[in-house]
Amino acid sequence: MEEAFGIDLGTTNSCVAIVGSDGLPQVIKNLDDEFTTPSVVYYDDGGECYVGTEAKRGMAVDIDRIVAFIKREMSNKDYQRDIDGNEITPVGASALILKKVVDDANEQRGYEGLPPIHKAVITVPAYFGNMECELTKQAGRIAGLEVLDLLNEPTAAALSYGAKGLEGKTFMIYDLGGGTFDVSIMRMQNGVLDTLSTDGDHHLGGVDWDIALLDYMLMISGLDITYDDIKDERESGKMLLAAETCKKNLSKSEKASFKLVYKRKQYVKEVSRSVLEELTSDLMDKTIDIIRHAMKISREPDAKIDEIILVGGSSYMPMVKQRLMKEFSCPIRLDNLEPDRAVAKGAAIHAAKLAGNGKAKVKIGTDLASRSYGVRCYDSEQDKYFVVNVVKRTDDQVYEGAMNFCTVKEDQTSVLVALYENISEADNVDINKCTLVGEERLSWGFPVPKGTTLEAHVSRSSDGTVRFWEECQGKKVYMEIKYKGMYSDAEIEQMRKELEKKRV
Ligand code: AMP
């Protein structure tokens, strides 16, 4: 029987799960006996590379040798980092993390006499565009995996709940992780899971709670500094870890003590949960604002939310549940009190199905796209350019939009047409918030009056290909955009071989 892993390649932590012989997804612990592995890479000064728990410990030694939150940089072409001659790339670091979690899982399987697995479904945030998705697949291949599919994280979280009580309901997945916050509004109807809306902030997560708490810890220790003042100093990593531990302890108890070490002096004090809640109420407010926005842009803005499902390690904080109950007065679920493992479990269910060995009852219906596509237009009154979205991210993934524009000058014989990508769901978008995808001149060769019609079409297909064409006076320009990732097959093979030799 074929088997495949479900992998949650997270911004702060990653997790591997598999559907067991009982048909239920189960998380495979890493070799440190933990359910999740920090998505952290550390190079020590001897050139040794560590990934996961060991690497996170390196944070306390020298934060400058740490690679963390790399998922945020996945498609950042300008990302440049070098640690003692080791070039760090987002795809390369993601491959290291994937290799570590898969190697650990296979080693655990080996202890039980089970064969290793090299097939997987990897989860991606709902906001990932086609480029980031392709790069995630490439990272998987470099790690030696056959990537069966990518799956949106909120869809995975919902799958992990299965049909258990979600049928006929509109529900919200509230995913507060270590560095990102995502919200999705979904509906399960006749066993089909549809996404109605997604939104998020990719710079909001547990680490913001840690920093707010650390600033307070520094203050009550009588140190006249903030995290910002010392973030480049060696001690900052250790302090941040102390704040994180204290925060986690406050999820279990009303009070927690902490120890800070600064300039060889120790400071031991205590903090209460209510203080943490007060210090971070603005961060909680931000998540609520994002939810309200997600509801506003939902395909069914008036649909009542029947239930909220909490996902992500930061959902362990009691304040999350309390605040959501106050705002939305509907039942709130935590997956067996394991919100940080729900995504991997959902990925395992999907992986088992694709490997031909699962009995998943839930079908995945509409997944929303993550990018809008629009055409550049000129506003003559304000003398500036803006982008008019023809296909929006809130439309179905497979969608064709058409719109008429017109020439702006007398006797034009051509027009420079340009397609832009953006994350806004608005009709008109500031051009500075958009990325140019392609530009081409449409020429018909004879003068036409100002206001002559230009017909623009944008179509998006299920594999992410975007086609754009614009017509005027029987002439047409056509562009096809297919995202290919950054590396050729030969480069991936080369990187895979190099990584295969490495033990991380
Ligand atoms: P994730 O990316 O979903 O694994 O979430 C990681 C974040 O969850 C980190 O910021 C952790 O500090 C936070 N976290 C994990 N466990 C707890 C806990 N018991 N209480 C508060 N935050 C937690």
Side-chain angles (χ1 to χ4, degrees), residues 8 10-15 36-39 56 69 175-180 205-210 243-252 276 311-318 339-341 343:
D8 170 9
T11 310
T12 34
N13 291 299
S14 296
C15 184
T36 64
T37 301
S39 304
K56 192 166 175 183
F69 299 113
D175 183 353
L176 188 59
T180 55
V207 69
D208 298 297
W209 270 257
D210 301 343
E244 188 189 14
T245 306
C246 182
K247 172 192 75 175
K248 286 185 180 174
N249 290 338
L250 287 173
S251 294
K252 285 182 252 142
L276 173 68
V311 183
S314 299
S315 297
Y316 280 116
M317 293 186 292
D340 49 349
R341 296 169 228 168
V343 170

Side-chain angles (χ1 to χ4, degrees), residues 229-437:
D229 300 326
I230 51 148
K231 67 173 187 286
D232 298 323
E233 290 178 34
R234 261 176 169 250
E235 282 119 324
S236 66
K238 205 167 185 172
M239 287 197 189
L240 209 50
L241 287 175
E244 188 189 14
T245 306
C246 182
K247 172 192 75 175
K248 286 185 180 174
N249 290 338
L250 287 173
S251 294
K252 285 182 252 142
S253 347
E254 291 289 339
K255 284 196 163 76
S257 59
F258 65 84
K259 183 172 90 183
L260 291 183
V261 182
Y262 189 61
K263 300 215 185 292
R264 296 222 183 112
K265 252 184 104 178
Q266 275 195 18
Y267 303 84
V268 180
K269 298 257 173 218
E270 199 180 62
V271 196
S272 71
R273 185 189 288 168
S274 59
V275 164
L276 173 68
E277 291 176 355
E278 219 171 283
L279 289 169
T280 55
S281 64
D282 58 325
L283 298 172
M284 275 309 300
D285 289 347
K286 275 194 194 171
T287 73
I288 303 296
D289 290 346
I290 294 165
I291 294 174
R292 300 262 179 235
H293 184 249
M295 291 166 95
K296 200 168 122 200
I297 62 169
S298 166
R299 304 164 148 227
E300 290 178 37
D302 299 325
K304 183 177 149 284
I305 305 286
D306 298 310
E307 201 156 311
I308 299 176
I309 294 173
L310 299 186
V311 183
S314 299
S315 297
Y316 280 116
M317 293 186 292
M319 70 175 93
V320 170
K321 193 169 175 185
Q322 280 159 16
R323 181 69 193 271
L324 289 171
M325 269 168 54
K326 201 169 128 211
E327 296 283 338
F328 299 102
S329 59
C330 64
I332 295 177
R333 286 207 217 184
L334 264 164
D335 175 21
N336 295 329
L337 299 174
E338 293 169 359
D340 49 349
R341 296 169 228 168
V343 170
K345 286 198 243 172
I349 293 171
H350 189 52
K353 189 175 168 202
L354 295 182
N357 116 52
K359 303 180 199 82
K361 293 192 187 75
V362 178
K363 280 206 193 97
I364 301 167
T366 325
D367 251 345
L368 296 181
S370 59
R371 298 288 184 277
S372 301
Y373 291 89
V375 173
R376 181 175 60 204
C377 286
Y378 179 65
D379 177 347
S380 51
E381 270 175 30
Q382 296 198 43
D383 186 27
K384 66 174 197 188
Y385 288 98
F386 63 104
V387 170
V388 176
N389 275 335
V390 182
V391 168
K392 294 185 188 169
R393 75 175 174 98
T394 43
D395 295 322
D396 283 356
Q397 168 68 31
V398 179
Y399 193 82
E400 181 175 327
M403 223 176 251
N404 284 348
F405 298 93
C406 54
T407 55
V408 288
K409 289 189 200 131
E410 281 305 337
D411 298 333
Q412 257 180 260
T413 57
S414 71
V415 62
L416 188 62
V417 296
L419 183 71
Y420 281 77
E421 185 183 276
N422 61 81
I423 55 163
S424 169
E425 67 288 342
D427 294 332
N428 299 339
V429 191
D430 179 347
I431 201 157
N432 298 313
K433 294 192 172 140
C434 304
T435 310
L436 180 66
V437 176

Side-chain angles (χ1 to χ4, degrees), residues 164-175:
K164 277 184 275 169
L166 290 180
E167 178 54 40
K169 285 188 179 163
T170 303
F171 55 94
M172 179 166 79
I173 304 275
Y174 178 102
D175 183 353

